[in-house]
Amino acid sequence: MTAKGKGKISKNDFKQTILADYRLAAEVRESGSQGRRDVLSGKGTFGIFGDGKELAQIALAKVFRHGDFRAGYYRDQALMTALGQYSPKHMFSALYGDPELEREPSSGSRQMMNHFGTRFLNHDGSWKNLMEQNNSTSDMACLASQFPRLVGLAQASQVYRDNPELAKSKPGFTNGGSEIAFATIGNSSCAEGHFWEAVNAIGVLQVPAIISIWDDAYGISVANDVQMTKSDVSAVLSGFQRNEKGAGYEIIKVNGWDYPALIEVYEKAEKLAREEHIPSIIHVVEMTQPTGHSTSGSHERYKSKERMQWEKDFDCNLKFREWIVESGVATKEEIATIDKEVVAFVKVQKKEAWTEFQAPIKEELKEVISIFNSISAQVNIPEIADWIKDLNQSAMFGLFRRNFMSKARMLLGMIVNENIPEKATLRNFINRINSENYERYNTKLYNETATSALKVAEVKPTYNSDSEEVDARIILRDNFHHMFDAIPEAMIFGEDVGKIGGVNQGVEGLQDKFGESRVADTGIREATIIGQGIGLSLRGLKPIAEMQYLDYVIYGFQPMVDDIASLHYRTHGGQITPLIIRTRGHRLEGIWHSGSPMGMLLNGMRGMYLCVPRDMTRAAGFYNTLMQSNDPAMVIECLNGYRIKEKLPTNIGEFRVPLGKVETTRDGSDITLVSYGSTWRVVMDATEKLERAGISCEVIDIQTLVPFDLSHDIVESVKKTNRLLVIDEDVPGGGTAYILQKIVEEQDAYNYLDSEPQTLAAKAHRPPYGADGDYFTKPSSEDVFEKVYAMMHEANPVKFPSLY
Ligand SMILES: Cc1ncc(C[n+]2csc(CCOP(=O)(O)OP(=O)(O)O)c2C)c(N)n1
């Protein structure tokens, strides 16, 4: 056996290494068992632990080097501890929900316990040197959701190895492309589509991933015979084995209790991945789950007596202990001493975590009780005495801020008419606690540092008298060529993006010029195209992941919603994905090429930006802006806009369209029409006809739905027209409901309206095929005319008599 990168070691070092591994396994086990008791006693609300999986994770950690990346899940407690990023104390802080980052660095307790993640960003939003640390991308509770991003994490090593110049210029992100992406997953989660999609993509790409499957035969209560064909994931995976017929994976099956075999397996997989970029799948079987899935139920309900006994006999820590003694590494007594020390150590760690968690809350309690007492001395509120008693009692077992805040806020309501100075003291206390907890729980959905897209200054497109009118796709194409010249980290990939230059020729010639590693075709696998973008962007590259059509984004939506959109928030600003998702949508032909599901996107994507340019000049401008930032965003090009003529700007590649800035594209005085994307042209067309009917319309193009009109320009228009109509081609109550909420509620337009604010959307069903299918489903110029006319008729029936 060798120690990581050090060659042969002495007998004593060997013994110390083994005993340190044993101690770590025992600590993880013991902290799980003490943590479980804490949940039963109410100190924590939910516990999920790493017991039964310790040994394989310790073996894995031995080949994990600084600069490597982990995409794993909640079972990896031993792995994270062995990597030096976790401890029993961290586990208890997370179990209690301690919101302070210094004690719960994965997420400041925004996540459940044992959902791990390391910090990639400094407080100012700049990147840390990721090659000097062990990197763990932030876990999610959604099973198999770590797999889409695994593809990009592993692919980045290939990109860097294929581009030595680029690699040299990014020392904080790569060490010549030798980094491995390690994934872990439970056996049952392997039944998810994401797993298979990612396994296939990695097999095709041949990138350095090592996938470990922790197989304890169950997924909560459901056994492998229900989860997997032949009850055996590696049997099913065997077609991915590399052989004389082609490249693939090294697939290895190993028992989770067999320490020497595990060490050997990981050493082999590491060598293949690091030196040759050959991926491996390590199916670790005969694992156990000694205390059941989580604290929410007992495994006696679904495991047979025989299985329970087998799990006792084949417990990996027990087998490790037996192996240590039988092979003469240490005596039973030495092991017993370690066991005893571990129990005491974990107790101390637990106590420290609890005390540090409770201390600031108890200080606040003291303060509020003193305010309660002084109010009670002046106003007769008999409940106060009981509250104080209850709160003091809670403080002995475990106190949450909500315990006293609910009382304090109720009390403010009760004394609102009292003229006592303590009312202000109470109000100040409530405001202060609310604002401190806003910082703890409600910030960092978006990046607010200097790397934010909102900090990128506008550069207007410029034209001269020679500027020619071209098919709009040329503007995109020329802009991408310029961008790829200027930004060596820029990459674009998706279905038909490489060889033919995209289905609408927006990246024509790009692959020929910049090569297959930067401009690439992918398989038809939307979730992992998005995941590829996530992984690459976490490793210092600037990917544009293309979804061929907006209607198929739904396949890639899960990683967008769960991973990208929540990442900056859930890591408390510790990680971010500078990823652009490019797609095209709105109206063209038929049910799946005309969609505009903006409500769905808006509801799922808070945490990302959403740009909806009305033409390709603006689309190009958004790409240029976003490329300068660290923020994730989606840009939806108008599917029917590529052949429309637009003037070619003279500063192609240089102009930047700001996010959150609306554009008034027509001045008017009777009504404000708010729209975006493809519908904008329909609206503009209708306004000509409305002008002839004596109605003057102001038209505003929203441009970015998120962020939405940051300077509140729309309400300024409503102040002038006193009427508002929002038009798009989503379902009724979809995107338009969001827009109305922004304008009426957030911008306070309600105060300036003389007519009911209205919306005009498409029908609730999908758009049918053909010109008439479109006409009778999506808002037409006539629909806009009639809607506006009806609003004016209601205001002035004499001037605007009824049309029908
Ligand atoms: C997508 C998704 N579906 C369901 C769940 C609920 N759930 C949490 S853990 C779990 C079982 C997972 O089993 P396995 O993959 O074998 O991992 P283990 O917990 O046994 O290590 C289930 C169904 C979830 N978290 N995510």
Side-chain angles (χ1 to χ4, degrees):
M1 201 179 301
T2 59
K4 192 157 96 180
K6 296 212 181 98
K8 296 264 179 254
I9 57 174
S10 74
K11 201 171 162 200
N12 188 49
D13 283 351
F14 178 73
K15 175 175 177 174
Q16 293 317 317
T17 303
I18 303 286
L19 291 185
D21 286 350
Y22 179 78
R23 183 182 293 275
L24 196 148
E27 270 174 26
V28 169
R29 185 66 61 91
E30 179 61 24
S31 53
S33 123
Q34 292 194 30
R36 179 167 281 271
R37 291 203 289 277
D38 268 354
V39 174
L40 295 179
S41 73
K43 282 183 168 168
T45 41
F46 176 75
I48 191 152
F49 306 102
D51 50 338
K53 315 286 189 292
E54 293 91 341
L55 219 48
Q57 296 182 16
I58 289 168
L60 190 167
K62 289 182 189 296
V63 299
F64 198 111
R65 300 236 180 109
H66 279 182
D68 286 344
F69 288 79
R70 167 186 166 277
Y73 79 119
Y74 51 76
R75 284 291 170 222
D76 293 345
Q77 193 180 337
L79 171 59
M80 294 301 288
T81 311
L83 293 178
Q85 292 166 330
Y86 209 59
S87 63
K89 187 169 170 185
H90 282 124
M91 190 213 79
F92 286 108
S93 297
L95 176 67
Y96 302 143
D98 191 330
E100 305 311 327
L101 263 181
E102 67 266 26
R103 294 194 286 274
E104 204 294 90
S106 295
S107 74
S109 285
R110 289 180 175 191
Q111 292 236 63
M112 272 177 174
M113 68 162 309
N114 281 0
H115 287 68
F116 310 102
T118 50
R119 305 202 72 74
F120 291 17
L121 300 174
N122 296 308
H123 286 302
D124 63 0
S126 61
W127 292 86
K128 289 178 182 288
N129 184 332
L130 302 183
M131 294 302 102
E132 290 176 351
Q133 59 183 41
N134 296 325
N135 302 295
S136 195
T137 57
S138 167
D139 295 357
M140 288 172 277
C142 344
L143 299 169
S145 58
Q146 66 275 33
F147 268 67
R149 73 168 106 98
L150 174 69
V151 181
L153 288 172
Q155 193 200 354
S157 294
Q158 187 185 59
V159 173
Y160 285 127
R161 193 167 277 186
D162 288 351
N163 297 278
E165 280 307 307
L166 177 64
K168 241 189 260 160
S169 70
K170 315 267 300 176
F173 290 102
T174 189
N175 188 3
S178 64
E179 307 75 30
I180 297 174
F182 287 90
T184 64
I185 187 167
N187 53 293
S188 305
S189 305
C190 295
E192 288 281 5
H194 280 4
F195 171 77
W196 295 95
E197 194 179 307
V199 164
N200 181 50
I202 289 166
V204 169
L205 289 165
Q206 285 295 290
V207 289
I210 296 179
I211 296 171
S212 297
I213 301 168
W214 308 142
D215 192 343
D216 61 8
Y218 287 84
I220 310 186
S221 66
V222 182
N224 269 341
D225 57 340
V226 176
Q227 304 282 1
M228 194 60 55
T229 307
K230 302 181 183 183
S231 301
D232 182 343
V233 65
S234 55
V236 186
L237 282 164
S238 60
F240 286 93
Q241 174 66 46
R242 69 196 175 113
N243 55 28
E244 64 291 343
K245 288 192 190 137
Y249 285 84
E250 188 63 20
I251 300 178
I252 312 169
K253 202 175 206 172
V254 61
N255 289 324
W257 46 262
D258 188 343
Y259 180 77
L262 286 162
I263 301 276
E264 202 177 300
V265 162
Y266 278 105
E267 282 180 352
K268 178 179 175 185
E270 186 210 4
K271 204 165 153 47
L272 285 173
R274 213 173 293 284
E275 291 171 12
E276 299 177 63
H277 277 190
I278 293 170
S280 289
I281 297 174
I282 300 175
H283 184 194
V284 185
V285 293
E286 302 208 356
M287 284 185 143
T288 66
Q289 194 67 79
T291 51
H293 174 76
S294 68
T295 51
S296 318
S298 129
H299 56 158
E300 281 89 358
R301 288 179 301 163
Y302 49 83
K303 286 180 188 163
S304 67
K305 274 206 180 92
E306 293 71 34
R307 172 77 196 183
M308 297 288 280
Q309 187 54 50
W310 180 87
E311 291 207 8
K312 279 202 175 101
D313 297 342
F314 283 80
D315 181 302
C316 65
N317 287 13
L318 173 76
K319 291 292 246 182
F320 190 23
R321 203 178 308 157
E322 286 171 4
W323 176 83
I324 292 172
V325 174
E326 277 163 21
S327 54
V329 174
T331 62
K332 269 187 185 164
E333 291 68 31
E334 285 174 290
I335 297 281
T337 307
I338 293 177
D339 284 339
K340 234 165 103 188
E341 286 168 0
V342 162
V343 174
F345 171 71
V346 171
K347 269 190 192 148
V348 171
Q349 293 255 297
K350 176 170 107 151
K351 193 163 176 213
E352 278 177 16
W354 180 253
T355 311
E356 288 169 27
F357 166 53
Q358 287 285 290
I361 308 179
K362 284 187 172 165
E363 280 306 306
E364 289 161 21
L365 177 67
K366 268 193 218 153
E367 205 179 327
V368 79
I369 285 180
S370 124
I371 300 171
F372 283 1
N373 277 330
S374 46
I375 290 174
S376 181
Q378 298 184 62
V379 189
N380 181 23
I381 302 177
E383 294 97 313
I384 291 183
D386 288 340
W387 293 349
I388 293 175
K389 210 167 102 201
D390 285 353
L391 288 168
N392 277 327
Q393 204 157 20
S394 296
M396 283 169 10
F397 301 103
L399 191 67
F400 293 96
R401 291 184 170 93
R402 63 183 288 171
N403 297 138
F404 57 74
M405 278 297 274
S406 61
K407 302 285 183 278
R409 292 166 72 186
M410 197 166 23
L411 183 58
L412 186 63
M414 292 161 94
I415 61 167
V416 70
N417 292 320
E418 303 292 338
N419 194 12
I420 49 171
E422 284 76 9
K423 194 163 68 181
T425 317
L426 181 64
R427 193 184 290 132
N428 291 343
F429 175 82
I430 293 170
N431 284 339
R432 195 190 87 222
I433 302 293
N434 273 336
S435 115
E436 286 169 1
N437 286 285
Y438 179 86
E439 289 301 316
R440 290 186 180 109
Y441 296 110
N442 306 118
T443 52
K444 301 192 180 148
L445 179 58
Y446 292 94
N447 163 27
E448 287 168 17
T449 70
T451 66
S452 159
L454 305 188
K455 304 274 193 318
V456 177
E458 176 174 14
V459 179
K460 287 200 162 53
T462 51
Y463 304 93
N464 61 28
S465 52
D466 298 336
S467 292
E468 50 173 335
E469 296 253 325
V470 294
D471 280 355
R473 63 117 192 155
I474 301 285
I475 294 174
L476 278 176
R477 184 199 65 185
D478 290 1
N479 193 71
F480 281 130
H481 277 263
H482 194 286
M483 175 195 289
F484 273 59
D485 257 334
I487 305 174
E489 294 91 346
M491 296 174 63
I492 187 164
F493 45 86
E495 296 153 17
D496 304 292
V497 165
K499 219 166 265 157
I500 66 164
V503 281
N504 299 87
Q505 295 289 283
V507 287
E508 186 189 16
L510 208 66
Q511 189 182 61
D512 286 344
K513 195 156 150 201
F514 297 102
E516 286 180 27
S517 102
R518 293 182 64 194
V519 183
D521 285 320
T522 64
I524 300 168
R525 46 173 182 78
E526 285 76 12
T528 50
I529 292 174
I530 299 288
Q532 227 170 309
I534 298 173
L536 290 165
S537 67
L538 284 167
R539 294 204 51 198
L541 295 158
K542 298 289 262 181
I544 303 176
E546 177 163 319
M547 298 281 97
Q548 197 163 75
Y549 297 101
L550 176 55
D551 309 74
Y552 308 126
V553 164
I554 294 172
Y555 278 63
F557 203 39
Q558 188 277 333
M560 287 171 60
V561 174
D562 288 323
D563 205 352
I564 304 172
S566 80
L567 185 65
H568 194 255
Y569 173 80
R570 79 176 189 268
T571 57
H572 218 302
Q575 294 181 17
I576 198 163
T577 52
L579 161 65
I580 301 175
I581 297 169
R582 177 190 186 211
T583 190
R584 50 192 68 86
H586 315 311
R587 61 182 71 195
L588 194 70
E589 286 293 345
I591 291 183
W592 284 287
H593 296 86
S594 293
S596 192
M598 309 312 290
M600 178 192 83
L601 297 177
L602 287 163
N603 290 335
M605 282 172 50
R606 305 297 167 91
M608 291 179 69
Y609 291 134
L610 181 57
C611 307
V612 283
R614 65 177 185 271
D615 60 23
M616 301 308 158
T617 306
R618 261 129 216 105
F622 284 134
Y623 291 125
N624 294 342
T625 299
L626 292 165
M627 269 286 161
Q628 300 304 316
S629 86
N630 266 353
D631 295 337
M634 176 182 246
V635 179
I636 303 174
E637 296 165 13
C638 296
L639 196 36
N640 58 1
Y642 295 104
R643 307 273 160 201
I644 293 175
K645 299 287 181 204
E646 290 180 36
K647 248 195 207 172
L648 187 64
T650 49
N651 59 344
I652 197 85
E654 304 292 333
F655 59 88
R656 292 171 188 167
V657 177
L659 268 59
K661 186 94 192 87
V662 303
E663 192 178 331
T664 303
T665 59
R666 185 186 173 99
D667 291 325
S669 53
D670 291 328
I671 186 165
T672 301
L673 308 182
V674 176
S675 192
Y676 61 89
S678 290
T679 338
W680 170 83
R681 254 190 305 277
V682 177
V683 171
M684 286 298 281
D685 184 61
T687 56
E688 298 291 330
K689 299 167 197 162
L690 285 158
E691 191 73 44
R692 283 200 293 277
I695 300 169
S696 163
C697 301
E698 183 138 305
V699 179
I700 298 180
D701 176 12
I702 301 168
Q703 304 217 86
T704 59
L705 286 170
V706 186
F708 189 92
D709 186 13
L710 292 171
S711 47
H712 289 196
D713 290 344
I714 298 176
V715 74
E716 294 308 315
S717 170
V718 175
K719 280 181 192 170
K720 188 169 67 168
T721 64
N722 313 114
R723 285 187 187 82
L724 172 66
L725 175 64
V726 177
I727 307 115
D728 80 355
E729 47 185 89
D730 192 6
V731 294
T736 50
Y738 163 87
I739 295 165
L740 218 51
Q741 185 266 337
K742 287 279 175 194
I743 304 171
V744 174
E745 198 177 291
E746 232 177 75
Q747 300 192 8
D748 229 1
Y750 180 78
N751 289 321
Y752 309 99
L753 288 168
D754 289 343
S755 296
E756 179 193 353
Q758 299 214 22
T759 64
L760 176 63
K763 298 283 189 291
H765 56 73
R766 297 291 184 101
Y769 176 70
D772 280 349
D774 174 276
Y775 187 75
F776 291 103
T777 297
K778 297 244 177 178
S780 65
S781 175
E782 292 72 40
D783 291 332
V784 176
F785 180 97
E786 289 174 8
K787 185 81 180 179
V788 172
Y789 190 91
M791 287 173 75
M792 298 307 292
H793 163 73
E794 194 208 37
N796 189 346
V798 177
K799 188 168 174 200
F800 302 107
S802 177
L803 284 176
Y804 291 102

